[in-house]
Amino acid sequence: MKIKEMQLVSFRNYENETFTPSPGIHLISGENGRGKTNLLEGIGVSLSARSFRTTTIRDVIQHEKESAYVKTIIDLEGFDHTLEMSIRPGHRFLWRDNNKMKTIGEYKRGIGVVVFQPQDLNMVHSTPSLRRNFLDNAIRTIDGLYEENVKNYYHLISQRNFALKKHKREKNLFEVYDYQLAKIGSYILVERLKNIKKLNNWAKEAYGTISNQRDSFQMNYMSTLPISSDIKELEKMYHQLMRDNLYKDMEMGRTTIGPHLDDLRFQIDGKEAKSFASQGQIRSVVLSLKIAESLLIREALGSNPIVLFDDVFSELDPIRREKLLESFKGMQSFITMAEPIEKIFYKEQLEDIRPIKITEKGIEEYSF
Ligand SMILES: Nc1ncnc2c1ncn2[C@@H]1O[C@H](COP(=O)(O)OP(=O)(O)OP(=O)(O)O)[C@@H](O)[C@H]1O
Ligand SMILES: [Mg+2]
């Protein structure tokens, strides 16, 4: 998929900006506060109807304006589609090919976007939830059924946790919860294991490229349950474990096993990334994971997703920067940097790459 044209109206600091992207890599530079992240956000909003920056979409409406509007023409497998979105406080209106869309799902059908933001780097050191979110988000994008099941699973967990505190005597209630959780939890676990295997292979390869084969990356799924790829067997074991743990769970007031507690383990050259990785290595890990996510989407949708990477080059040495660019080959990608491009790359390195500069006048071609 490739964006052919886009327009941002009253969107953040963009009054009315049109932009005609190329099919390949864009390097976007500009001083702090010029609107680099806003441009990526604009592309992301127009492709997914959501902002990666804020959950209150009205924030994107330009100050003093009543509404924002974004329009994109995107080529999906050889066919052009027009996506339009108008954002007002409390409302968003979506059109695809001039037809009003009722749901975000209909609006973004067949479209994939992968975003890297500097705060994604926290994933390596944080509590397991950010690592689980990475995995869940990657699978969600390609599988609506997974999304549904994850939602149901968390709903059941919060109901069971409430019952563990308030309705300890109602044993039948736990029979129902535990049966359902074993079923949904097993499905989630099997899907995660299937996808983590693919993501690990791709991330390993991307990490090898970025580090110029200097060090190696490995990711493992750490489960609170015994692992089996036979779903029927897994459901049985899971259900039994839920029963065995019931009294302990009552004491703790929460459910102590299940995919809501699982984790991903990242290792570089066999050592825990959390404890031993350098800044540049951490960045390389997270970027490799994002590239792996792009490949997962490509496999599912049959074409490369649009890649939006914000502020990626800091902390990377010159070889890693160059190798990172190599990893984007074939993907329409928008990559921002605060430094002037010539400080980071020679002109000769930028063959097939479109340098862009955001100035007070808006989006301009970069001239060396
Ligand atoms: N709703 C809005 N209306 C108008 N301007 C806005 C709005 N939201 C943010 N801005 C402005 O956008 C600018 C920030 O843009 P952005 O975050 O894209 O900068 P950037 O180029 O990514 O900078 P940095 O290099 O520091 O990351 C700020 O000047 C901010 O005031
Ligand atoms: Mg920024």
Side-chain angles (χ1 to χ4, degrees), residues 1-2 22-26 294-295 298 302-307 324-333 352-353:
M1 65 195 76
K2 308 271 187 232
S22 309
I25 304 171
H26 301 76
S294 313
L295 297 173
R298 175 168 80 183
S303 76
N304 278 316
I306 309 292
V307 169
L324 177 63
L325 273 191
E326 250 174 54
S327 317
F328 293 116
K329 280 244 163 76
M331 300 195 212
Q332 191 182 42
S333 34
D352 297 332
I353 288 173

Coordinates of all heavy atoms in Angstrom, one line a residue, residues 1-2 22-26 294-295 298 302-307 324-333 352-353:
M1 N 0.8 -1.2 0.0 CA 0.0 0.0 0.0 C 0.9 1.2 0.0 O 2.0 1.2 0.6 CB -0.9 0.0 1.2 CG -0.3 0.0 2.5 SD -1.4 -0.4 3.9 CE -1.4 -2.2 3.7
K2 N 0.4 2.3 -0.7 CA 1.2 3.5 -0.8 C 0.2 4.7 -0.7 O -0.8 4.7 -1.4 CB 1.9 3.6 -2.1 CG 2.8 2.4 -2.5 CD 4.2 2.5 -1.9 CE 5.0 1.4 -2.5 NZ 5.7 0.6 -1.5
S22 N 6.3 10.1 -2.1 CA 6.9 9.2 -3.0 C 6.5 7.8 -2.6 O 6.1 7.6 -1.4 CB 8.4 9.4 -3.1 OG 8.7 10.7 -3.3
P23 N 6.8 6.8 -3.4 CA 6.5 5.4 -3.0 C 7.4 4.9 -1.9 O 7.1 3.9 -1.2 CB 6.6 4.6 -4.2 CG 6.8 5.5 -5.3 CD 7.3 6.8 -4.8
G24 N 8.6 5.5 -1.7 CA 9.6 4.9 -0.8 C 9.8 5.6 0.5 O 8.9 6.0 1.2
I25 N 11.1 5.8 0.9 CA 11.5 6.3 2.2 C 11.5 7.8 2.2 O 12.1 8.4 1.3 CB 12.8 5.7 2.6 CG1 12.8 4.2 2.6 CG2 13.3 6.2 3.9 CD1 14.2 3.5 2.7
H26 N 10.9 8.4 3.2 CA 11.0 9.9 3.4 C 11.8 10.2 4.6 O 11.5 9.6 5.7 CB 9.6 10.5 3.5 CG 8.7 10.2 2.3 ND1 8.2 9.0 2.1 CD2 8.4 11.0 1.3 CE1 7.4 9.1 1.0 NE2 7.6 10.3 0.5
S294 N 5.9 -4.9 11.1 CA 5.6 -4.5 9.7 C 5.5 -5.8 8.9 O 4.6 -5.9 8.0 CB 6.6 -3.6 9.1 OG 7.0 -2.6 10.0
L295 N 6.4 -6.7 9.1 CA 6.4 -7.9 8.3 C 5.2 -8.9 8.6 O 4.7 -9.5 7.7 CB 7.8 -8.7 8.5 CG 9.0 -7.8 8.0 CD1 10.3 -8.5 8.3 CD2 8.9 -7.6 6.5
R298 N 2.5 -7.3 6.7 CA 2.7 -7.6 5.3 C 2.2 -9.0 5.0 O 1.5 -9.3 4.0 CB 4.1 -7.5 4.9 CG 4.3 -7.9 3.4 CD 5.6 -7.5 2.9 NE 6.7 -8.4 3.3 CZ 7.9 -8.3 3.0 NH1 8.3 -7.2 2.3 NH2 8.8 -9.2 3.4
G302 N -0.8 -8.9 2.7 CA -0.3 -9.1 1.3 C 0.4 -7.9 0.8 O 0.8 -7.9 -0.4
S303 N 0.5 -6.8 1.6 CA 1.4 -5.7 1.1 C 2.0 -5.0 2.3 O 1.4 -5.1 3.4 CB 0.6 -4.8 0.2 OG -0.2 -3.9 0.9
N304 N 3.1 -4.3 2.1 CA 3.7 -3.6 3.2 C 2.9 -2.5 3.8 O 2.2 -1.7 3.1 CB 5.0 -2.9 2.7 CG 6.2 -3.9 2.6 OD1 6.4 -4.7 3.5 ND2 6.9 -3.8 1.5
P305 N 2.9 -2.4 5.2 CA 2.1 -1.4 5.8 C 2.9 0.0 5.6 O 4.0 0.0 5.2 CB 2.1 -1.8 7.3 CG 3.4 -2.6 7.4 CD 3.6 -3.3 6.1
I306 N 2.2 1.1 5.9 CA 2.8 2.4 6.0 C 3.6 2.5 7.3 O 3.0 2.1 8.3 CB 1.8 3.5 5.9 CG1 0.8 3.3 4.7 CG2 2.5 4.9 5.8 CD1 1.4 3.4 3.3
V307 N 4.8 3.0 7.2 CA 5.7 3.0 8.4 C 5.9 4.4 8.9 O 6.3 5.3 8.1 CB 7.0 2.3 8.1 CG1 8.0 2.5 9.2 CG2 6.8 0.8 7.9
L324 N 19.8 0.8 9.4 CA 18.3 0.9 9.7 C 17.6 1.4 8.4 O 16.5 0.8 8.1 CB 18.1 2.0 10.8 CG 16.7 2.3 11.2 CD1 16.0 1.0 11.7 CD2 16.6 3.4 12.2
L325 N 18.2 2.3 7.7 CA 17.6 2.8 6.5 C 17.4 1.6 5.5 O 16.3 1.5 4.9 CB 18.4 3.8 5.8 CG 18.2 5.3 6.2 CD1 19.0 6.2 5.3 CD2 16.8 5.7 6.3
E326 N 18.4 0.7 5.5 CA 18.3 -0.5 4.6 C 17.1 -1.3 5.0 O 16.4 -1.9 4.1 CB 19.5 -1.3 4.8 CG 20.5 -1.4 3.7 CD 21.7 -2.1 4.0 OE1 21.6 -3.3 4.5 OE2 22.8 -1.5 3.9
S327 N 16.7 -1.4 6.3 CA 15.6 -2.2 6.7 C 14.3 -1.7 6.2 O 13.3 -2.4 6.3 CB 15.6 -2.3 8.2 OG 16.8 -2.5 8.8
F328 N 14.2 -0.5 5.8 CA 12.9 0.1 5.3 C 12.7 -0.1 3.9 O 11.6 0.3 3.3 CB 12.9 1.6 5.6 CG 12.8 1.9 7.1 CD1 13.8 2.7 7.7 CD2 11.8 1.5 7.8 CE1 13.8 3.0 9.0 CE2 11.7 1.9 9.2 CZ 12.7 2.6 9.8
K329 N 13.7 -0.7 3.2 CA 13.5 -0.9 1.7 C 12.2 -1.5 1.3 O 11.8 -2.5 1.9 CB 14.7 -1.8 1.2 CG 16.0 -1.0 1.0 CD 16.4 -1.0 -0.4 CE 17.5 0.1 -0.6 NZ 18.8 -0.3 -0.1
G330 N 11.5 -1.0 0.4 CA 10.3 -1.5 -0.1 C 9.1 -1.0 0.6 O 7.9 -1.3 0.2
M331 N 9.3 -0.3 1.7 CA 8.1 0.1 2.5 C 8.0 1.6 2.3 O 9.0 2.3 2.4 CB 8.3 -0.1 4.0 CG 8.5 -1.6 4.3 SD 8.2 -1.8 6.1 CE 9.3 -3.2 6.4
Q332 N 6.8 2.1 2.2 CA 6.6 3.6 2.2 C 6.8 4.0 3.6 O 6.0 3.6 4.5 CB 5.3 4.0 1.6 CG 5.2 5.5 1.4 CD 3.9 6.0 0.9 OE1 2.8 5.5 1.3 NE2 3.9 6.9 -0.1
S333 N 7.8 4.8 3.9 CA 8.1 5.1 5.3 C 8.4 6.6 5.5 O 8.9 7.2 4.6 CB 9.2 4.2 5.8 OG 10.2 4.0 4.8
D352 N 17.4 7.1 -3.8 CA 16.1 6.5 -3.7 C 15.4 7.0 -2.4 O 14.4 6.4 -2.0 CB 16.1 5.0 -3.7 CG 16.5 4.4 -5.0 OD1 16.3 5.1 -6.0 OD2 17.1 3.3 -5.0
I353 N 16.0 7.9 -1.7 CA 15.4 8.4 -0.4 C 15.0 9.8 -0.6 O 15.7 10.6 -1.2 CB 16.3 8.2 0.8 CG1 16.4 6.7 1.1 CG2 15.9 9.0 2.0 CD1 17.4 6.3 2.1

